[in-house]
Amino acid sequence: MNRKLIPAGAAILALAALALATAYFYIPGGVRPVFDEGVIRVCMNGDGTLELDWPEARLEGRTAAPPEDEDEVPPEGGTDQPPAEDGESVVFYDLEVKSGDNHIQKAISYTGASPGKLSLPMTVRVHAVAEGKNLLGMTRVLSGQTLAAEIADPGLSAPEAVGVPEPGRLTLSWTQTGPAPGFYEVSALENGQTVRTITANGKNVNLKVSKRDGDLTLPGYGHPLEVHVRAAVQGDGYVLCGPQSNLISVERQDLLGYDLNPLCLETEPRVCTLEWDETKGEGYRLYERIGEEWVLLDTFEPAETLTCELGRLGSGSSHSYMVEATDGGGGVLSVETLLFQASVDPLYATIWPIIEQPFHEQADGESAALGKIPGGTALCVLEESGDWFRVRYKDQYGWVDSRFCMINLPEYVGDHCAYDIANSYRSVFKVHENPIALITDQVVQGFEHIRTEDEQFLVPYLYPCAKKLLSAAQAAEADGYRLKIYEAFRPNEATRFLYDTTAGQLELAALVYSYEDAEGEPLGEDEDPRALDPVTGWEVDLSDGLLIDPETGEKISREDLALRQAEEAEEAAQEGEGPVIQDPDGQFMMPAPQPGEEQPFFTLPEEGEGGSLDPEAQPAPETPPAQQPPAEAQTPAEESPGEGEPAEGEPEDGEEAPETYFSIMTNNGRFGLGSFLARVASAHNRGIALDLTLEKINSGEELEMQSAIHDLSWYSAAYLNNDNAKLLEKYMTATGMRGLSSEWWHFQDDETREAIGLTSYLFKGVNMGGWTRDDQGWRYRNEDGGILKGTSFTADGKRYTADQDGYVRE
């Protein structure tokens, strides 16, 4: 044999032996088990049995997964060791207990055991071992650390406990006989399992019970919270707990208080859920404030979670809810209210293009055009992307430029503002305190459909301007005020009607109010004052401007009255009862006024703009000018009456002639009609102007300004602004809007007009006629906002059927 092969063979045999030994002894992933900090815990039961538990061992170098609840104590028999991965070791425990003549020894895989009835003193030893398979597939055991304790008998007895439940807490106290322990352990149980253990040095403890982390959890209905107390001592390597006290059982209702704590949560824009806490009682009632009344929405049985889905609320809308907790007889145990305001979002709001707008496939002006949407068309916002709104038009879906769209403020800004579009039901336009026939207390031409079927207002306003308005409204709210809007978009037909109708009456004697009836008796509180013509003293019907004959009750115009008086005068003259006036051609005209008589007829002024909207064109005087009649109303010098003689047509005895609208409005020409009303087109026609005032949020009371809103006279000039008008000006101009020198209430967004190049305006008024949508589907509205319900109709060339709620199933 070759001698060189012998050493090589020996080496191979040695390597093989080493490999075999390694395969036998090596356990993949196997390392010795060790204990982290902890001691053996021994609990004595009332029947003389003992329960043991000890900390879990981990494999050295491997971090054991923490328990889900650090306060949780393993159930009787212990808990399973977390399963090891394939090929890794599993920890077991060799338990040895010696008590007198009893000697118990067994291997278990749990961190707890019930060795039965044993007496103290006793010795406990827990040895951790790891078991796994070696490379040969054979089971091998690795020895680990050992916990050991010599446990004496301190003579611990069971305490006598008393529990007093209160809202959100349980007060626990107890008495103890026998030797004093080192401390006490208070344990809370759910379904018989310990969920929390608290140590106490004294003989009482307050346990907080709620839904909050760190407190004991409120028990469920039918599953009371159970608590007991044990006396305990600390020894070398162990804790010994005596028998548990009597069990204190507390129902959920016993721990509830009276605080409902209602809260509203928005899960998505304007989609809200109302929730509140449980309280003592047998049920709950939920109310919503509608107008001046609380309306019952629903009733609820006791439950751990109390919620009500409110759905999608109106943008910026304010809501008041009230929750009552009731007893078995329906009596109120507690009540709380909640006031909140939904977020602002244009989804489903009504919009109108201010001028004809392209209709695009995408939110991009470069995308394909689907057509054009005429100005004033009512649309519904389905989505917003940048400066674009997605809408439905003629059964097509596409995008329109939002910068050129007016949005209905109550559907966007919501209750951040108040609205009183008086032109839609009873206009407040006056010349100071003097009503204007055909305008005051009337529906202004072009505003016929602004007040909807449900008596809400449409308040169209250009969308970019509306965003600025929201900023101003929120600033006012922070100070306890609310912006109150009297007018936003004004159709051009209304602008021309207001100007022409007012201009036609400027030289007439201004109508005055009387608060007495025809017999001179005071009017009742619910009766409106009468408008009187100061020349004749007759009542005037403001709806048509006609005089009402106090003898016959018939209506007559000033012109017809003058003709009638002329005929009567002619008859009287022919009978020799008085002189007459002749024109230069010698034709009979009418009787000459006698001293003390009033001239019964006024001619209409020639057309004219009456001023300028340019604030620079009418410089404000430093002090209010004295009121004087217009220059053309003065008696020419060459016709001055003789000393002591009244001028022709002038009242005797120092009586003043009735003032005309012109003299009241302009104050001797310092202002003109054009200072207050545009003759051709105004910023209102472009949807960029607002007429508004301020009110107190808590009362709805309007702040006093230097004049009433829509007072077409110099009393409204901005140079006369009081502190309240200056406050309104501060809120509005802070957003970049500009006011007018002649009207404290008017503000317009010239920045937006210039930014988007808006030059055109809308002539006709708007309405709500067309498609509208909410989360439940599409519905169709008539011009006054009424929903078509339970009927078939044709729209966009197609036939539709609306169900009883108005929804159309396409």
Side-chain angles (χ1 to χ4, degrees), residues 569-592:
E570 181 180 4
E571 293 175 1
Q574 291 174 352
E575 296 176 0
E577 295 182 3
V580 298
I581 297 177
Q582 293 183 334
D583 67 6
D585 298 325
Q587 300 296 318
F588 174 80
M589 295 282 291
M590 60 182 293

Side-chain angles (χ1 to χ4, degrees), residues 444-521:
V444 174
Q445 181 177 322
F447 283 84
E448 292 83 2
H449 299 293
I450 293 298
R451 198 178 194 191
T452 63
E453 187 179 69
D454 57 357
E455 297 190 350
Q456 301 299 310
F457 296 111
L458 298 186
V459 190
Y461 191 46
L462 207 65
Y463 185 53
C465 308
K467 295 178 182 179
K468 294 184 178 182
L469 173 65
L470 178 60
S471 175
Q474 291 171 333
E477 285 176 324
D479 294 336
Y481 303 111
R482 182 183 291 114
L483 301 179
K484 185 174 184 179
I485 299 172
Y486 273 84
E487 191 173 354
F489 167 70
R490 178 191 298 169
N492 187 251
E493 63 175 318
T495 291
R496 295 173 186 248
F497 169 79
L498 289 169
Y499 184 92
D500 293 343
T501 303
T502 306
Q505 302 178 64
L506 281 181
E507 292 299 337
L508 297 181
L511 302 180
V512 296
Y513 280 123
S514 171
Y515 295 89
E516 297 178 346
D517 60 20
E519 285 71 37
E521 296 296 326

Side-chain angles (χ1 to χ4, degrees), residues 92 140 190 197 220 240 272 314 347 447 500 543 552 658 696 699 703 712 784 799 807:
F92 285 84
R140 294 285 297 152
E190 287 184 2
T197 299
L240 174 64
C272 298
L347 181 64
F447 283 84
D500 293 343
S543 66
T552 66
K696 297 177 181 178
S699 66
L703 272 61
L712 308 181
D784 293 329
R799 194 71 177 164
Y807 291 100

Side-chain angles (χ1 to χ4, degrees), residues 343-367:
S343 59
V344 174
D345 180 82
L347 181 64
Y348 300 145
T350 305
I351 59 169
W352 302 266
I354 187 67
I355 57 177
E356 184 179 70
Q357 282 295 292
F359 188 41
H360 292 275
E361 280 189 350
Q362 304 295 329
D364 180 359
E366 302 299 321
S367 64

